[in-house]
Amino acid sequence: MKRLLLFILAILFQLTVFSQFTIYDIQLSHPSNASQLVDKLVGTGVTYSNASFTGSYGGTQAGNAGYFSGGTNVIGLNSGIVLSTGNVGKHWYTNTYIAGPNYYADITTVTNTGGDAQLQALAGTTTYDKAVLQFDFVPQSNVIEFRYVFASDEYNEFVSAGYNDVFAFFVTSLEADGYNYNNYNIALIPGTSTPVSIDNVNLNYNSAYFINNENGARNVEYDGLTVVLTARCYVTPCKTYRMKIGIADAGDPYYDSAVFLEENSFTSPIIDNIGYTTSNPAAGGGTNMVEGCSNGIITFQLSSPTPTNRNVNFTLGGTAVFGTDYTTIPNIAGTYSPPNNYYVTIPAGQSSTTLTIVPIQDGVVEGTESIIFGITTNLCPPYNTINHTAYIVDNSAAYTVSLPASYTICSGQYANINATISGGQAPFTYAWSSGHTTNPISVNPATNTSYTVTVTDACGTTRTATTTVYVNTYSTAPSSIVATPNTICEGSSTTLTVNGGSLGSGASWKWYSGSCGGSFVGTGSTINVSPVSTTTYYVRAEGTCNTTSCASVTITVNPLPTVSITATPSSICSGQTSTLTASGASTYSWSGGLGTGNPKNVSPTSTT
């Protein structure tokens, strides 16, 4: 009677003070049948049947099953289903949902859905306002689990007061499975066999799992709630079980309680993702690994962690041969029955494991080979298989880097140096002695210079090559030609010498007559010429880098004189004198000891 009086006084106080508040975070709605509730709850690795619900789906005074969403910052679960001993819909006197803040000291809706025998046995007292969801299920793995939160307005004043609202998750084996469960409650305090209840989880007991909401810190109407907990049960894959999720008022029908179950969290872990990476993504790339260079890494991902070791079966196919073309880490040799059927183990408490494929560099040029993994994702027939193909890229061809022996440029010009690569694994990196990091490179050294390149392929293998750039200089034009002499007589010679200018790399002085580049005369800085007539000579530098302009000189060639002599008289008597007169020249030199000069008087004693 005292508890009922407190309940009535609380209602009057709430109607007077708090009815104006309408702040809600969690959104709630009603299903129309049990299968809709189970659909919302069940996730991967579980099939279900025979869903039933005992309670009410809706109405102004009832409706103790529903959906919720937007609960992440309120109860720790974003969405799912909720079973309540009160109304999941609107409350009869507040016209609000069960969402908070916690405006009311206590909240109650009598659903008149009766009690439940198993819940009553668990509570040790009469139960009321039950909401019970049941379904049969077949797990695909060796465990089932789901996440939940329990909340109640019995907190905190009725802890250990005999009004201990009760909930449970009962598992029953429907066929021989090695466990023989019979209404086995898995709503347990973590690490114990103690049921989660108001008396067992509160401010004083197992408080690490309890959230006090009397101050309304959480936008939910209940005075207290648990943290997010996980219900877990070991099962035998492919066997059939029954799940009974129930909640009820205990001791009296007052003060509501609810259990929130996360959407799609009722799971039995299966392989739901196959990942592939390489130890050296730069080599091969994608699904390619490279012999002796880049390993392939297969990741087997479960939909949720496995509480016990879980073997994942797979077959191996393709053109590559295990043990000849590749090995694995861990080594799966011998872990098969029948042949070609292998497995890896996902350790307890983990949701994934990896298998490293190590391609062997066998020195045989054989092209790209394939490995086909046929991965079984579940433990129950019909088995589902995911095929994943990876490739081994051959890395046995010779890996060389070469450069031309040399390049020749003229001073100020650029040489484009290009390293040629054969074999190896792209991409390649380049380190030149000049500091360049690309290929080809362009350089313009001032003097003869050697260049070395170190090439590193994607596998980290290096090769080097060296070349030399030879730098040729330019010639400069001669300023003049010195002729010794400039004027000669016909039949004589003169020496021509280059004056000024310089010869570049590989250059020489080239002489011409008639014009610059005309009739070739000779080569060298000095030449001798014997022109038969007055002639102009030209010289220039010709070489690898350039041909200069010409310098020139003209050699004057005087013709030989035609000389004649007259004697007056030409006949004389002994003792007489004859005058000899020369003509045709300018100066004369006489024989017979006559010396020079013109004319000459002679008195020969005989014909002379």
Side-chain angles (χ1 to χ4, degrees):
M1 177 63 72
K2 180 178 179 181
R3 177 176 163 94
L4 177 59
L5 180 59
L6 287 172
F7 168 66
I8 293 171
L9 290 174
I11 291 175
L12 293 175
F13 176 77
Q14 292 153 6
L15 287 170
T16 303
V17 178
F18 297 107
S19 60
Q20 73 271 27
F21 294 102
T22 58
I23 303 174
Y24 314 112
D25 283 341
I26 290 184
Q27 302 299 311
L28 300 117
S29 58
H30 287 294
S32 59
N33 58 63
S35 292
Q36 291 178 344
L37 288 170
V38 181
D39 281 342
K40 200 76 160 177
L41 175 61
V42 167
T44 57
V46 174
T47 58
Y48 80 91
S49 60
N50 302 324
S52 65
F53 175 68
T54 304
S56 173
Y57 290 114
T60 57
Q61 296 297 313
N64 52 352
Y67 305 135
F68 72 91
S69 62
T72 300
N73 297 321
V74 181
I75 60 172
L77 303 175
N78 180 61
S79 61
I81 65 172
V82 55
L83 304 182
S84 172
T85 65
N87 187 9
V88 173
K90 294 181 179 180
H91 193 275
W92 66 272
Y93 67 85
T94 65
N95 197 34
T96 67
Y97 294 100
I98 61 174
N102 185 22
Y103 299 131
Y104 309 101
D106 302 291
I107 188 167
T108 291
T109 299
V110 178
T111 64
N112 295 314
T113 52
D116 179 85
Q118 276 84 32
L119 292 174
Q120 189 161 307
L122 188 63
T125 187
T126 304
T127 57
Y128 306 86
D129 297 339
K130 69 181 178 185
V132 177
L133 177 65
Q134 296 188 89
F135 55 93
D136 300 339
F137 69 91
V138 176
Q140 294 288 313
S141 184
N142 55 357
V143 65
I144 60 102
E145 62 183 14
F146 55 92
R147 303 208 311 160
Y148 69 96
V149 168
F150 172 67
S152 179
D153 252 345
E154 297 280 358
Y155 288 114
N156 288 303
E157 60 268 41
F158 297 110
V159 171
S160 301
Y163 303 99
N164 196 346
D165 287 357
V166 62
F167 81 103
F169 308 139
F170 295 117
V171 178
T172 298
S173 303
L174 298 184
E175 56 181 311
D177 65 339
Y179 294 103
N180 300 317
Y181 297 127
N182 184 19
N183 290 315
Y184 171 58
N185 181 24
I186 62 172
L188 304 175
I189 296 171
T192 75
S193 59
T194 303
V196 177
S197 67
I198 292 170
D199 284 352
N200 294 333
V201 179
N202 51 57
L203 285 172
N204 299 316
Y205 297 99
N206 296 301
S207 59
Y209 304 112
F210 179 67
I211 299 172
N212 182 20
N213 194 44
E214 283 193 341
N215 59 4
R218 300 292 183 102
N219 279 0
V220 67
E221 186 52 57
Y222 300 103
D223 288 350
L225 62 156
T226 68
V227 298
V228 176
L229 300 172
T230 299
R232 178 179 291 122
C233 179
Y234 295 108
V235 291
T236 299
C238 318
K239 299 295 184 179
T240 304
Y241 299 83
R242 175 166 296 148
M243 172 58 69
K244 177 180 178 180
I245 300 171
I247 188 168
D249 286 331
D252 62 25
Y254 307 119
Y255 301 98
D256 293 345
S257 298
V259 61
F260 298 85
L261 300 101
E262 185 177 36
E263 183 174 359
N264 299 137
S265 68
F266 192 104
T267 60
S268 183
I270 62 170
I271 295 293
D272 65 346
N273 184 51
I274 304 298
Y276 182 84
T277 57
T278 59
S279 61
N280 182 1
T287 56
N288 293 335
M289 63 196 92
V290 179
E291 285 182 351
C293 168
S294 177
N295 297 335
I297 302 169
I298 294 283
T299 301
F300 303 83
Q301 180 73 48
L302 287 173
S303 56
S304 57
T306 175
T308 59
N309 288 349
R310 166 71 183 276
N311 292 338
V312 179
N313 296 318
F314 61 91
T315 60
L316 290 177
T319 58
V321 178
F322 177 76
T324 299
D325 297 306
Y326 65 97
T327 59
T328 59
I329 303 174
N331 192 344
I332 59 173
T335 64
Y336 57 91
S337 179
N340 205 37
N341 190 11
Y342 303 80
Y343 68 84
V344 293
T345 299
I346 299 178
Q350 297 182 197
S351 60
S352 66
T353 193
T354 59
L355 178 69
T356 300
I357 305 102
V358 183
I360 300 170
Q361 190 166 17
D362 51 18
V364 179
V365 179
E366 54 198 345
T368 298
E369 299 171 292
S370 64
I371 307 173
I372 301 174
F373 298 84
I375 301 164
T376 304
T377 63
N378 59 333
L379 298 180
C380 299
Y383 298 109
N384 183 44
T385 300
I386 297 175
N387 287 326
H388 184 93
T389 303
Y391 299 92
I392 298 177
V393 176
D394 186 66
N395 193 28
S396 299
Y399 171 32
T400 61
V401 175
S402 61
L403 287 170
S406 65
Y407 294 83
T408 300
I409 63 172
C410 294
S411 178
Q413 292 181 337
Y414 283 81
N416 294 319
I417 306 176
N418 185 23
T420 301
I421 299 172
S422 177
Q425 296 298 319
F428 300 92
T429 59
Y430 303 87
W432 294 84
S433 55
S434 59
H436 293 81
T437 57
T438 59
N439 186 58
I441 64 171
S442 184
V443 296
N444 63 335
T447 59
N448 297 343
T449 304
S450 293
Y451 294 88
T452 298
V453 63
T454 299
V455 180
T456 304
D457 75 350
C459 295
T461 305
T462 61
R463 295 287 187 271
T464 61
T466 299
T467 188
T468 299
V469 177
Y470 293 99
V471 181
N472 287 333
T473 57
Y474 289 91
S475 302
T476 59
S479 57
S480 63
I481 298 172
V482 176
T484 307
N486 282 79
T487 301
I488 63 173
C489 291
E490 182 180 351
S492 298
S493 64
T494 185
T495 300
L496 306 181
T497 302
V498 175
N499 180 40
S502 63
L503 292 177
S505 301
S508 61
W509 298 112
K510 297 292 181 70
W511 295 85
Y512 301 92
S513 64
S515 64
C516 184
S519 297
F520 178 72
V521 174
T523 301
S525 60
T526 299
I527 64 171
N528 292 318
V529 293
S530 299
V532 295
S533 60
T534 299
T535 302
T536 301
Y537 291 93
Y538 300 84
V539 69
R540 67 185 181 188
E542 296 181 10
T544 302
C545 291
N546 69 323
T547 296
T548 67
S549 59
C550 287
S552 64
V553 66
T554 299
I555 302 301
T556 301
V557 179
N558 292 325
L560 296 178
T562 301
V563 179
S564 62
I565 303 172
T566 60
T568 305
S570 61
S571 295
I572 62 171
C573 292
S574 176
Q576 292 182 328
T577 299
S578 177
T579 301
L580 303 179
T581 303
S583 64
S586 57
T587 61
Y588 304 91
S589 177
W590 297 87
S591 64
L594 296 179
T596 60
N598 187 47
K600 288 290 186 178
N601 292 320
V602 296
S603 297
T605 60
S606 61
T607 299
T608 301

